[in-house]
Amino acid sequence: MTARTDAPVDPAPGAPEPAAPSAAALAAVLADLRAALPADAVVTDPEALRDRARDGSATPPTGDPVALVLPSGTPEVSAVLRAAHAHGVPVVPQGALSGLAGGANAVPGAILLSTARMTAIRRIDPVDQVAVVQPGVVTKDLVDAVAAQGLFYPPDPASYAWSTVGGNIATNAGGMRCVKYGVTRDFVRALEVVLADGTVVRTAPGTVKAVAGLDLTGLVVGSEGTLAVVTEATLGLLPAPGPDRGVCATFATVADALAAANAVVASPHRPSTLELLDDVVLAALVAYDPDAGLPAGAAAMLLAITDEAGARGAADVAAYEAVVRAHGALTVDVAHEPERLDALLRARRSFNQAMRAVRGGSINEDVAVPRTRLADLLDRLADVSAQVGLPIGTGGHVGDGNLHPVIAFDPADPAQVAAAAEAHQRVLGLAVELGGTVTGEHGIGTEKRSALAGELGDRVLAIQRGIKAVLDPAGILNPGKKL
Ligand SMILES: Cc1cc2nc3c(=O)[nH]c(=O)nc-3n(C[C@H](O)[C@H](O)[C@H](O)COP(=O)(O)OP(=O)(O)OC[C@H]3O[C@@H](n4cnc5c(N)ncnc54)[C@H](O)[C@@H]3O)c2cc1C
């Protein structure tokens, strides 16, 4: 396992940092929690708390939690929020802690509210085409359960084998299928949430169409646990797609691969996955998992997959093959067997771990720019890498304009740690400068707060903080995150 590296916590200009509640408030809240929850659902053992204090990002927690609570259902979540609200104690909702922005990290005196015991899949309905689930359901368990009924839940973050539906909703997670199906938000029909004072509300009916009132569902999606705790989700489903088949091609330059990707996007043959990996990432993946069957030595790899059935799928594959050949592909691997593509996708999903293994530490960015600016982004990332003297491996969802530049550094070398922090800031600035966003899917958390005002502008940021104040006037829900 590679070393975990602490990057500096990023303060948000104009936002108060959370202060630790008083000792009296912490004692009172613990008493209330123990009265409301079963004994084994309130954990205060310091080692257990340490284990749950941070997510998968490089950012450390900003303080020690007071307790970990493990509610089994909505009434218990409501009781936790009522107690926290009464005593002014912060609450940090937590799913599987796979987040990459510090969003689920502990803050001083926090109650860590884990959804680990809220794993019921309550309903899968082929006529309404919905699944109704508790937030702690692991995304892959949902995908498998609906597939068993001939249905399809498309959102597929690379962490889907262990991240939770609640975490995916709170971060509006993306994945490799977004290029065709959209992000998590596009499949959330309605939510049951617990507000900061413990009140339970439903944001919408679970109908396909619902336009009465403002879109509270959309507001909670992507709010990173700062507006409400999701306790139940009604998720839209689709009929099962056809088998995956596609083309994996390598190129002499990343510019050729990008041009081929753009030609695929502009064609009528919409892929269900369109991923690009540069030479640094390819080398890291080959070193990390030599048996994965990834092509070694190329400057770039492009993976275009269709999930259309029958002749339509065959036509898509033929079109992708023609496009990559027309753009000078060095090698072209046409895969009609889903197993071959599964192996490539499994390898692709190891991207973050492989890049962290390069030097022991990594900062994983997820900027998104208009597709027309991707070439500029890739050029400028190469400049940043040369200027700071660190490898930056870039790859990801080229079809969405959402790439993951991963900065690799040695955490034991202070000069490299400083250079990585410098590169991080430059990459974020670059995204905004190119008309994009500092985060396409991972969220702001504690890691990118200083970049938020630059992207949103002061007026929009003030509106968003005003909305937060309406829903959480005491500021107890995941303070020091996002806004
Ligand atoms: C190897 C790897 C690959 C990844 N690939 C992708 C990818 O392809 N696409 C992508 O989008 N992300 C990816 N991620 C990031 C991460 O997996 C996602 O952000 C995921 O959605 C987090 O889910 P989680 O259950 O682990 O949530 P956590 O990390 O525990 O929490 C994430 C955020 O959600 C909040 N939260 C959790 N549950 C609730 C709830 N019930 N109510 C309210 N707020 C809640 C937390 O407070 C926190 O702000 C990857 C991470 C890793 C480690």
Side-chain angles (χ1 to χ4, degrees):
M1 183 136 166
T2 52
R4 177 101 79 152
T5 316
D6 285 355
V9 174
D10 209 7
E17 293 303 316
S22 69
L26 294 178
V29 86
L30 276 179
D32 283 4
L33 292 174
R34 289 192 173 114
L37 270 62
D40 70 349
V42 182
V43 179
T44 53
D45 170 51
E47 203 168 318
L49 294 187
R50 229 182 347 266
D51 281 352
R52 295 288 308 182
R54 65 187 293 171
D55 67 7
S57 70
T59 314
T62 54
D64 294 327
V66 64
L68 164 70
V69 294
L70 297 151
S72 302
T74 307
E76 289 181 1
V77 174
S78 173
V80 171
L81 269 298
R82 275 199 308 277
H85 197 255
H87 302 292
V89 173
V91 175
V92 178
Q94 294 189 331
L97 293 180
S98 72
L100 291 174
N105 282 358
V107 299
I111 299 167
L112 306 177
L113 191 163
S114 167
T115 58
R117 291 186 183 172
M118 297 177 72
T119 56
I121 297 179
R122 294 197 163 129
R123 184 161 83 96
I124 296 173
D125 192 314
V127 176
D128 281 336
Q129 295 204 316
V130 292
V132 179
V133 303
Q134 285 190 303
V137 170
V138 169
T139 309
K140 183 175 186 305
D141 293 346
L142 171 65
V143 169
D144 291 347
V146 303
Q149 300 201 28
L151 293 165
F152 181 40
Y153 178 67
D156 64 336
S159 57
Y160 89 124
W162 71 98
S163 65
T164 65
V165 168
N168 292 176
I169 290 170
T171 55
N172 191 17
M176 287 192 259
R177 295 196 193 106
C178 295
V179 63
K180 178 170 180 180
Y181 293 102
V183 291
T184 298
R185 176 190 305 286
D186 298 302
F187 293 87
V188 182
R189 292 223 194 138
L191 296 172
E192 176 196 80
V193 299
V194 179
L195 301 177
D197 64 359
T199 311
V200 181
V201 297
R202 292 195 69 82
T203 59
T207 48
V208 174
K209 294 178 172 177
V211 294
L214 298 178
D215 183 7
L216 279 189
T217 313
L219 198 55
V220 172
V221 176
S223 64
E224 300 183 40
T226 62
L227 299 184
V229 179
V230 175
T231 48
E232 187 184 272
T234 303
L235 303 166
L237 305 173
L238 296 175
D244 278 351
R245 45 195 155 158
V247 170
C248 176
T250 59
F251 295 85
T253 68
V254 76
D256 288 346
L258 180 59
N262 285 340
V264 168
V265 168
S267 81
H269 299 276
R270 179 165 285 263
S272 54
T273 292
L274 188 63
E275 296 284 309
L276 177 140
L277 302 177
D278 77 2
D279 56 339
V280 179
V281 178
L282 269 177
L285 282 168
V286 170
Y288 186 75
D289 184 2
D291 301 328
L294 284 171
M301 182 186 110
L302 185 68
L303 186 59
I305 298 178
T306 179
D307 63 3
E308 292 292 335
R312 213 161 145 191
D316 287 346
V317 175
Y320 306 153
E321 183 180 359
V323 167
V324 296
R325 290 196 189 284
H327 286 83
L330 298 176
T331 62
V332 183
D333 180 1
V334 179
H336 283 282
E337 316 76 32
E339 300 71 31
R340 167 78 186 125
L341 292 167
D342 275 356
L344 288 172
L345 290 173
R346 244 193 331 275
R348 154 67 186 90
R349 288 194 183 100
S350 307
F351 180 162
N352 290 323
Q353 297 94 317
M355 279 303 298
R356 191 162 280 184
V358 170
R359 292 204 176 173
S362 63
I363 299 178
N364 303 7
E365 276 317 324
D366 80 311
V367 295
V369 297
R371 280 193 292 252
T372 45
R373 305 307 303 272
L374 279 168
D376 296 328
L377 178 67
L378 288 164
D379 283 350
R380 302 276 298 274
L381 286 170
D383 293 344
V384 174
S385 172
Q387 283 156 7
V388 302
L390 292 176
I392 300 181
T394 302
H397 320 301
V398 66
D400 306 323
N402 177 204
L403 293 180
H404 298 299
V406 182
I407 305 154
F409 63 99
D410 177 356
D413 178 348
Q416 290 196 33
V417 173
E422 167 71 19
H424 178 215
Q425 289 307 321
R426 288 201 203 182
V427 171
L428 298 182
L430 203 50
V432 176
E433 190 190 322
L434 295 174
T437 174
V438 297
T439 174
E441 45 183 36
H442 296 164
I444 291 288
T446 48
E447 202 165 276
K448 294 180 209 165
R449 292 180 79 214
S450 67
L452 196 61
E455 179 175 327
L456 298 184
D458 291 344
R459 183 75 187 110
V460 171
L461 185 57
I463 291 169
Q464 298 207 3
R465 287 185 178 152
I467 292 171
K468 157 92 175 157
V470 169
L471 288 167
D472 179 18
I476 62 162
L477 267 175
N478 218 1
K481 313 288 173 63
K482 199 164 180 93
L483 294 176

